[in-house]
């Protein structure tokens, strides 16, 4: 998103080393983008809702697929 790009640009201006690490981290995520608090909140909301009333146990990774590699 635009705000994520702006944050990355700010980081790159302040610390080129941190910028390099950030880009390398993003490249290691299968979905190739950083997660947001909103994505985690949606997973929590799903598990707290009646839509998950038949779920009895789950390990839900909200990490863009990085745990599966």
């Amino acid at each position: 998103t635009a705000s994520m790009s702006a944050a990355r640009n700010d980081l790159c201006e302040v610390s080129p080393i941190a910028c390099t690490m950030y880009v390398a981290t993003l490249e290691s995520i299968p979905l190739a983008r950083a997660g947001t608090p909103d994505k985690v909140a949606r997973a929590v909301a799903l598990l707290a809702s009646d839509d998950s009333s038949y779920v009895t146990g789950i390990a839900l990774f909200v990490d863009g697929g990085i745990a599966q590699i």
Side-chain angles (χ1 to χ4, degrees):
T1 65
S3 63
M4 296 286 276
S5 294
R8 184 183 66 216
N9 290 341
D10 291 345
L11 176 65
C12 291
E13 287 180 19
V14 173
S15 174
I17 293 171
C19 180
T20 300
M21 292 172 62
Y22 179 76
V23 170
T25 300
L26 285 182
E27 290 174 351
S28 71
I29 299 171
L31 292 181
R33 64 181 189 270
T36 61
D38 179 60
K39 298 297 183 192
V40 175
R42 288 174 186 234
V44 171
L46 169 68
L47 293 175
S49 74
D50 287 339
D51 290 338
S52 65
S53 65
Y54 204 67
V55 175
T56 58
I58 186 171
L60 179 62
F61 297 96
V62 185
D63 63 1
I66 200 165
Q68 287 75 33
I69 57 173

